[in-house]
């Protein structure tokens, strides 16, 4: 049998799970980082809004109070850092600087030499001479023809963004690695029960032995439920296989004796000195043995069919009391002859849906056993009643009883109690009873005591309760 499939399935499933875990992890981390980046970016965009607002403020001052008012405002909002201060400059059309806020902060930038024509209403950038900083400036024309310029260094903004980008890039690789290893680890953990299951199935396929069990992980999840159920199923199969082996052994063993006997009788008959009478008797013996064998094989077949559900039932409405009377007609003579009293207490009109012939066979087997295993002077009682919506048939005897050590085994095929071997029988009666009753959705149980006798209770669904 090719074993590639589960192996391949496991690996593909593992890869798929890893891909899913890692993908979800990486994607969510990236999304989170991108959102943070956009957030920072938009914060820095506010920079331009701040310049525009300051320009409007200074312009208002300049129009209202001239350069002195602008200067006063600069002084009020002064700061010693380039990043926090506004660049404020008033320049006349001849490109002469009339006012400049904190000249020392801006001496790095080359603005003095550049023309200011046409700058109003536009964004303009003055580069720093050395450190690569840029001065981002907005300009507005004042009523007297001078140009008011307000700006800010973009160094801080660029630095933050650059730093953020570097950090992002530096975290992407570890993030992907963590995602992949984490994904592989989680997938491997999640699939461990499946791997165990595969290993056990493979060992069963290879060795044919059902005693292997899948180790139970303590997690209470769907896979562990599957593992538990699988182990229960294995235990059942193991028991079934074992009981089938035993049954087969028993059949082989039990067939051996009658077949050997047939052979001996036939050999005797074939002896040259055997006369016609002896041969006739030998043939009659052979016939009797073959009938026993046929009965045994037929009963074994019936049990198997009932157990597997293959037995066809001719279901009809059956009056239990009437059926018991039919059986008693057959057995009353045998009971009388043995000196066993039989008493029947049947509730009238207990109607069942059952196969009449099979049910009669069941009752007959129970009555037959009760009489067979009850010594002379004993008593057998049959009682029927309705109990919990079911029909209950109780067969009670004052016979030899069943020892506790045997009681579990009496339902097995070909099992015969120690004390019963002197009696006729095949050890198949109760197996058939159980199989047929269960085929009718009923149940049968026994209570027995070697001192007081046995009680077999048989429950069957009443007609109309199916
Ligand atoms: P058998 O052909 O031996 O009667 P059964 O399958 O009918 O086979 O019964 C199995 C065993 O159960 C018997 O061998 C006997 O030991 C025990 N048994 C069944 N019925 C009774 C009973 N009424 N009293 C005592 N033992 C019983």
């Amino acid at each position: 049998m090719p074993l590639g499939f589960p192996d391949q399935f496991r690996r593909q499933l593992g890869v798929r799970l890893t891909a899913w875990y890692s993908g979800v992890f990486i994607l969510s981390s990236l999304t989170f980082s991108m959102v943070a980046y956009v957030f920072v970016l938009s914060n820095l965009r506010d920079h331009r809004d701040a310049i525009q607002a300051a320009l409007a403020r200074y312009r208002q001052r300049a129009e209202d109070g001239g350069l002195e008012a602008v200067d006063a405002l600069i002084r009020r909002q002064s700061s010693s850092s380039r990043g926090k201060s506004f660049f404020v400059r008033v320049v006349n059309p001849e490109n002469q600087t009339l006012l400049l806020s904190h000249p020392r902060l801006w001496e790095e930038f080359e603005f003095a030499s550049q023309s200011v024509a046409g700058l109003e209403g536009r964004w303009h950038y003055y580069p720093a001479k050395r450190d690569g900083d840029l001065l981002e400036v907005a300009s507005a024309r004042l009523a007297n023809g001078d140009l008011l310029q307000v700006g800010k260094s973009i160094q801080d903004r660029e630095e933050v963004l650059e730093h953020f980008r570097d950090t992002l890039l530096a975290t992407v690789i570890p993030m992907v690695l963590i995602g992949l290893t984490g994904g592989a680890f989680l997938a491997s953990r999640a699939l461990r029960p499946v791997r165990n299951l595969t290993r056990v199935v493979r060992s069963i396929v290879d060795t044919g032995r059902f005693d292997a069990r899948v180790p139970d992980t303590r997690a209470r999840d769907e896979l562990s439920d599957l593992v538990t159920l699988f182990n229960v199923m294995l235990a059942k199969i193991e028991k079934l296989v074992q009981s089938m082996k035993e049954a087969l052994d028993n059949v082989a063993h039990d067939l051996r004796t009658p077949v050997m006997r047939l052979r001996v009788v036939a050999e005797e008959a074939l002896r040259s000195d055997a006369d016609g009478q002896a041969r006739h008797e030998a043939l009659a013996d052979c016939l009797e043995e073959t009938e026993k064998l046929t009965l045994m094989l037929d009963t074994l077949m019936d049990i198997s069919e009932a157990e597997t559900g293959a037995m066809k039932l001719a279901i009809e409405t059956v009056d239990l009391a009437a059926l018991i009377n039919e059986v008693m007609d057959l057995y009353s003579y045998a009971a009388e002859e043995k000196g066993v009293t039989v008493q029947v207490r049947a509730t009238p009109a207990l109607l069942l849906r059952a196969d009449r012939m099979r049910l009669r066979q069941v009752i007959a087997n129970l009555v037959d056993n009760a009489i067979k295993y009850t010594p002379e002077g004993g008593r057998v009682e049959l009682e029927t009643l309705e109990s919990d919506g079911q029909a209950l048939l109780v067969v009670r005897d004052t016979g030899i009883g069943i020892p506790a050590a045997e009681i579990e085994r009496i339902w097995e095929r070909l099992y015969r109690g120690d004390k019963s071997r002197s009696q006729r029988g095949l050890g198949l009666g109760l197996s058939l009873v159980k199989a047929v009753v269960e085929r009718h959705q009923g149940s049968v149980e026994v209570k027995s005591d070697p001192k007081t006798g046995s009680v077999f209770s048989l429950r069957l669904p009443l007609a109309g309760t199916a």
Side-chain angles (χ1 to χ4, degrees):
M1 192 179 152
L3 281 174
F5 172 68
D7 218 21
Q8 193 185 352
F9 166 76
R10 171 168 62 90
R11 263 185 246 124
Q12 282 185 358
L13 192 61
V15 170
R16 284 212 311 265
L17 273 179
T18 306
W20 270 104
Y21 282 138
S22 319
V24 168
F25 174 76
I26 293 169
L27 205 75
S28 53
S29 312
L30 280 180
T31 313
F32 176 75
S33 314
M34 290 311 291
V35 167
Y37 184 77
V38 169
F39 187 70
V40 171
L41 196 67
S42 87
N43 259 353
L44 292 172
R45 288 258 155 81
D46 293 347
H47 195 88
R48 280 193 165 189
D49 297 344
I51 296 175
Q52 291 282 22
L55 178 68
R57 228 171 22 251
Y58 281 106
R59 183 183 190 174
Q60 189 65 49
R61 280 298 166 107
E63 300 294 9
D64 293 348
L67 289 182
E68 293 75 31
V70 174
D71 199 31
L73 187 57
I74 289 170
R75 246 181 271 283
R76 206 170 332 133
Q77 296 182 344
S78 84
S79 163
S80 55
S81 115
R82 191 199 283 173
K84 286 189 188 134
S85 292
F86 281 110
F87 162 86
V88 184
R89 180 186 178 217
V90 180
V91 62
N92 69 11
E94 288 75 43
N95 216 18
Q96 287 170 327
T97 299
L98 304 177
L99 179 91
L100 178 63
S101 60
H102 314 296
R104 270 192 336 102
L105 288 181
W106 316 114
E107 60 195 12
E108 272 291 304
F109 298 93
E110 298 187 49
F111 49 81
S113 57
Q114 291 190 29
S115 154
V116 291
L119 283 188
E120 61 264 35
R122 288 207 297 116
W123 288 102
H124 186 69
Y125 296 89
Y126 294 117
K129 283 177 212 145
R130 279 195 298 275
D131 65 2
D133 194 5
L134 271 183
L135 191 54
E136 186 176 38
V137 171
S139 311
R141 184 71 58 192
L142 296 175
N144 61 5
D146 294 344
L147 192 76
L148 169 68
Q149 290 190 301
V150 174
K152 247 186 148 186
S153 150
I154 66 166
Q155 191 178 42
D156 287 359
R157 180 176 84 171
E158 285 304 301
E159 258 173 19
V160 169
L161 278 181
E162 210 170 297
H163 191 67
F164 199 86
R165 272 195 300 266
D166 289 350
T167 317
L168 256 190
L169 281 180
T171 48
V172 160
I173 293 172
M175 199 192 296
V176 170
L177 284 179
I178 291 174
L180 283 175
T181 41
F185 172 71
L186 287 177
S188 137
R189 253 187 88 98
L191 289 181
R192 194 187 303 154
V194 180
R195 279 201 302 278
N196 291 340
L197 209 73
T198 314
R199 204 181 51 243
V200 168
V201 172
R202 184 172 295 149
S203 95
I204 292 171
V205 171
D206 288 350
T207 63
R209 295 175 53 136
F210 283 90
D211 54 357
R213 295 290 177 273
V214 185
D216 202 358
T217 55
R218 260 176 294 264
R220 289 286 131 241
D221 54 20
E222 290 86 344
L223 278 179
S224 99
D225 287 352
L226 177 70
V227 164
T228 311
L229 275 179
F230 187 80
N231 282 341
V232 170
M233 186 184 75
L234 276 186
K236 280 198 170 169
I237 293 178
E238 192 184 11
K239 205 169 150 208
L240 203 71
V241 170
Q242 186 61 29
S243 74
M244 277 169 70
K245 270 191 192 144
E246 276 172 17
L248 208 64
D249 286 354
N250 287 345
V251 171
H253 181 265
D254 281 58
L255 279 179
R256 223 182 142 74
T257 320
V259 171
M260 285 303 290
R261 217 177 296 138
L262 266 180
R263 193 180 157 157
V264 169
V265 174
E267 277 172 0
E268 290 271 313
L270 280 176
R271 265 193 7 229
S272 54
D273 58 343
D275 60 10
Q277 175 65 22
R279 287 189 174 161
H280 188 269
E281 278 171 15
L283 275 178
D285 277 355
C286 283
L287 201 62
E288 201 181 315
E289 284 301 328
T290 346
E291 271 165 9
K292 262 196 212 163
L293 274 173
T294 316
L295 177 67
M296 180 173 160
L297 293 174
D298 283 350
T299 316
L300 277 168
M301 290 289 287
D302 281 350
I303 296 169
S304 288
E305 283 184 3
E307 279 180 353
T308 56
M311 175 182 272
K312 293 213 168 42
L313 299 179
I315 297 288
E316 58 184 305
T317 304
V318 177
D319 182 342
L320 187 56
L323 202 61
I324 289 173
N325 284 337
E326 280 176 34
V327 174
M328 288 326 302
D329 283 348
L330 289 176
Y331 282 91
S332 52
Y333 178 70
E336 204 176 308
E337 209 177 39
K338 202 178 169 192
V340 171
T341 336
V342 181
Q343 200 181 22
V344 178
R345 263 179 290 143
T347 308
L350 266 189
L351 299 183
L352 309 174
R353 296 284 299 161
D355 182 317
R356 172 185 292 274
M357 198 271 286
R358 290 291 179 197
L359 193 54
R360 186 168 42 210
Q361 204 176 3
V362 163
I363 300 171
N365 278 350
L366 292 176
V367 171
D368 183 54
N369 278 348
I371 297 173
K372 194 163 67 175
Y373 297 117
T374 300
E376 192 182 347
R379 207 174 59 250
V380 171
E381 281 171 23
L382 270 82
E383 190 183 357
T384 68
L385 47 129
E386 195 184 325
S387 149
D388 298 333
Q390 288 180 312
L392 174 63
L393 164 63
V394 182
V395 181
R396 215 176 269 119
D397 65 53
T398 56
I400 58 171
I402 306 165
E406 291 182 0
I407 205 146
E408 282 291 313
R409 303 202 59 194
I410 59 169
W411 309 104
E412 290 174 16
R413 284 177 180 85
L414 297 167
Y415 179 80
R416 304 206 69 204
D418 269 350
K419 284 193 281 174
S420 324
R421 307 218 176 186
S422 54
Q423 301 281 352
R424 69 188 156 75
L426 297 171
L428 289 172
L430 288 183
S431 311
L432 185 70
V433 166
K434 187 168 164 51
V436 170
V437 167
E438 286 178 358
R439 178 83 178 92
H440 279 82
Q441 269 82 50
S443 63
V444 57
E445 59 184 45
V446 62
K447 286 201 174 73
S448 187
D449 183 339
K451 289 195 209 94
T452 51
S454 311
V455 185
F456 285 83
S457 308
L458 193 152
R459 287 174 186 275
L460 284 165
L462 281 168
T465 60

